[in-house]
Each structure stands twice: as C-alpha cells, then as structure tokens.
Amino acid sequence: MTREYTQITVIGEDTTGIIARVTTLLYDRAINIEDLDQAVREGLFRMTLHVDTSEMTCSQEELREALDELGEEIGHEVRVRFPDDRDTQTIAVLATKETHAPEALFAAHEEGSLDADISVVISNHSDLDDLAADYDVPFHDIGDEKGTPDEDELLTLLEEYDADLIVLARYMRIIGPEVVFRYEDRIINIHPSLLPSFPGARAYQQARQEGVRVGGVTAHYVTTDLDQGPIIAQRAFDVPADATVAELEQRGQPLEASALLEAVRLHLDDAVYVHQGRVELRDGVETDDYQLGLPEKMREWNPSTPVDGEPL
C-alpha cells in the first residue's frame, strides 16, 4: 500500500521556536502532520516532517513561497518535496568494491520491481565503474589514493542528482555527520550482522570469534551513531560450528542483498516511518507483503506457549 506524503526538511542553527513556527504555518493552511522527527547535533538543528497536503487551503507554489519566506526569516534551509514533483523517485547508490548488493539493486530495477531510478553510483574506489557502465548509470569516484572520500564532493553530487534515497550497498566508509544529518531517514545501509550485535568493521569476523550459532544481516536507517540506526529488515542464517569467516560471508551476502532490497522497497512504498528511534509500519500496510524478519515457513518453529503467563 503506497502512501504519498509531502516531505519538508528544515536545517540550520539550533534556536528556539523553530518547530512552532513551521507547524503553525502548516496548521494555518489545513496541512496535517503525519509524523515529525527532529534532532540537534553540535548546534545544528534538523527537522523532517511528512505531511498530508491533500486538503490544504493553498496551492503548492504558495506553500513553497511561504516556506521559503519562513526559511529566510529564521535563517534556515527549508525544502519541500511534493509527491508529484517527479514521476519516479531517484536513488543514489554508494558502494566500494563488493558487487552483490549494487547488482541486486540494478537487477531489481531492470526487472521493474524497484519503483525508482538509480541516478548515480558514487564510490571511494574505481572498481565499480564498469558495473555502473553496464547499466548506463553515471559513476563518480570521490576517493583519494587511500580510498578516503571527499564528502564535500559527495554532498555536491547528492544535490546535483537530487537523490530521494541514498543506499549504502556495502559502502565501506563511515558517512560523516554533515551528510547524515542532512539526509537522515533517507539513508539505508546493509550491515552484515544481526544488529545491535557486532557493529562496526569486520562483523562476520566478530561473529566467528564469538562463536555464534545464528548469524544474520540488518538493513537500517543511518544515523550519526555508527550502526545504531532504526532497524528496517533483518535476515538470519544458521552457522555451522566449524564455519570459517569466508563461509559466513558466502551465507550472508545473498541475504544482505535480500534485506537491502526489501528495506529500499519499504521506504519507496512509504510503508514505514521512524518514530522515537524505531521503524514502524504505517496503518494499513499489509505485513504479508514484506518478510521483515524470518520467512513465513520458519514461524511454525516459534514457541506457542511461554514458560510463564498466558499462551501466545
């Protein structure tokens, strides 16, 4: 079930009264706020609102002008995106060297199951240039000789390609706060563990060292806290007692692609939103349309009666 809400973002210095000014402007025009997320990092304020403009008492252009004027008054960057601003949403794919995640995105787009265009591939190495060329997608290498990305260039490219969603398809660098803060709730990452376990680098190796019996992967929204963003979808796999790190990777990589694709679809379908640090399904969304966690056939193995309390 696709919901189409208008998105408004406000970014600037943290000062008092910003939320009140914006919400009052919307209320005066009969615009209903469906959800609101705001945060402050090192004196920088960011607020994202999803609003229902279907019954507003002004035109789209009048709302843009009013928000622009408010932004100038309060000294903040205010942007509005209406559902009909473009026919198709756009995705910026960030990747490094591994191909399985970006290839899954390209394949889904080719077969028509991804309701968005992949507008650009951005990397900190040149390895995926040929892959992007195979799909006729612009490629930009923003890394130096050590693979350190130029995040000013990254911000410029994201603005140039007007990305609705940023997908970290095994992008092996930490995204800086300047990027994350501007695009929070619009950046999806795939991490090779069942977060919150084993965050950071070498997650498969961490899992092997800890002797886990069940491994997994997690697709999540990116925040300024490393690998602690709201979880969208997860996949799990069995870990044999003698499994090597390479074997864990072989089991995990197909699930990385699966979980990442589902998270991207959930976001593009506007089927989820972030509330108090947790991803929630919107009212009316059919859970049978998405796997989210374990597959349906595994649910018969779930216990039906707890040790204490009433039957489940």
Side-chain angles (χ1 to χ4, degrees):
M1 180 178 181
T2 301
R3 301 290 186 106
E4 294 188 342
Y5 294 118
T6 295
Q7 177 177 286
I8 298 170
T9 57
V10 182
I11 299 174
E13 183 181 353
D14 182 31
T15 57
T16 59
I18 302 171
I19 297 176
R21 293 288 300 276
V22 175
T23 55
T24 298
L25 184 152
L26 299 176
Y27 174 80
D28 290 343
R29 290 159 179 78
I31 297 172
N32 188 52
I33 298 173
E34 295 295 332
D35 56 75
L36 183 156
D37 181 65
Q38 62 87 26
V40 177
R41 295 287 189 279
E42 299 180 357
L44 186 65
F45 171 87
R46 187 228 6 114
M47 176 170 65
T48 302
L49 306 96
H50 289 88
V51 302
D52 183 357
T53 53
S54 61
E55 297 182 2
M56 66 180 179
T57 58
C58 64
S59 67
Q60 290 188 3
E61 188 56 36
E62 288 170 337
L63 179 59
R64 287 186 194 276
E65 292 177 358
L67 289 170
D68 286 342
E69 291 175 2
L70 178 59
E72 292 179 4
E73 288 179 20
I74 62 178
H76 283 56
E77 177 184 317
V78 182
R79 296 183 180 181
V80 57
R81 286 171 173 263
F82 292 100
D84 56 358
D85 277 348
R86 59 167 60 92
D87 293 332
T88 305
Q89 297 184 79
T90 57
I91 296 173
V93 174
L94 273 62
T96 295
K97 295 183 178 182
E98 296 182 21
T99 61
H100 59 283
E103 280 185 333
L105 291 167
F106 282 128
H109 180 262
E110 287 283 293
E111 67 185 24
S113 63
L114 193 64
D115 190 21
D117 288 333
I118 300 175
S119 60
V120 63
V121 175
I122 304 172
S123 180
N124 59 319
H125 288 284
S126 61
D127 299 60
L128 300 180
D129 191 356
D130 289 342
L131 176 63
D134 287 343
Y135 290 93
D136 197 26
V137 174
F139 177 86
H140 294 271
D141 176 6
I142 61 170
D144 61 15
E145 64 279 0
K146 296 181 179 180
T148 302
D150 182 338
E151 293 215 334
D152 288 335
E153 184 178 358
L154 174 58
L155 281 170
T156 298
L157 289 169
L158 294 175
E159 180 75 18
E160 176 184 342
Y161 286 95
D162 196 19
D164 293 297
L165 177 65
I166 302 166
V167 179
L168 308 188
R170 300 299 281 139
Y171 181 64
M172 307 303 288
R173 305 293 298 199
I174 296 174
I175 301 290
E178 279 294 319
V179 178
V180 173
F181 211 58
R182 289 179 176 274
Y183 290 91
E184 200 157 4
D185 298 341
R186 291 167 54 197
I187 309 175
I188 293 176
N189 180 49
I190 184 65
H191 183 76
S193 79
L194 289 173
L195 291 174
S197 297
F198 313 130
R202 300 180 178 87
Y204 287 125
Q205 182 174 331
Q206 292 183 61
R208 177 68 183 87
Q209 289 173 342
E210 294 297 328
V212 301
R213 300 306 185 200
V214 177
V217 303
T218 303
H220 65 98
Y221 284 114
V222 174
T223 66
T224 53
D225 298 316
L226 179 62
D227 293 332
Q228 296 183 43
I231 292 170
I232 308 171
Q234 293 184 304
R235 299 288 188 270
F237 59 88
D238 180 66
V239 179
D242 59 350
T244 65
V245 172
E247 288 170 339
L248 294 187
E249 291 178 349
Q250 290 173 355
R251 289 179 177 232
Q253 285 182 349
L255 299 182
E256 291 175 22
S258 171
L260 182 62
L261 273 175
E262 179 169 271
V264 168
R265 290 189 177 112
L266 282 160
H267 179 92
L268 294 174
D269 290 346
D270 204 14
V272 293
Y273 67 98
V274 178
H275 178 66
Q276 296 182 347
R278 176 186 170 94
V279 172
E280 304 284 359
L281 290 171
R282 294 195 186 279
D283 292 342
V285 172
E286 293 293 336
T287 56
D288 290 344
D289 293 339
Y290 307 100
Q291 182 174 320
L292 300 178
L294 290 174
E296 176 66 31
K297 63 183 179 181
M298 294 296 295
R299 293 175 189 171
E300 64 187 66
W301 293 92
N302 288 339
S304 59
T305 305
V307 174
D308 298 311
E310 297 297 325
L312 297 177

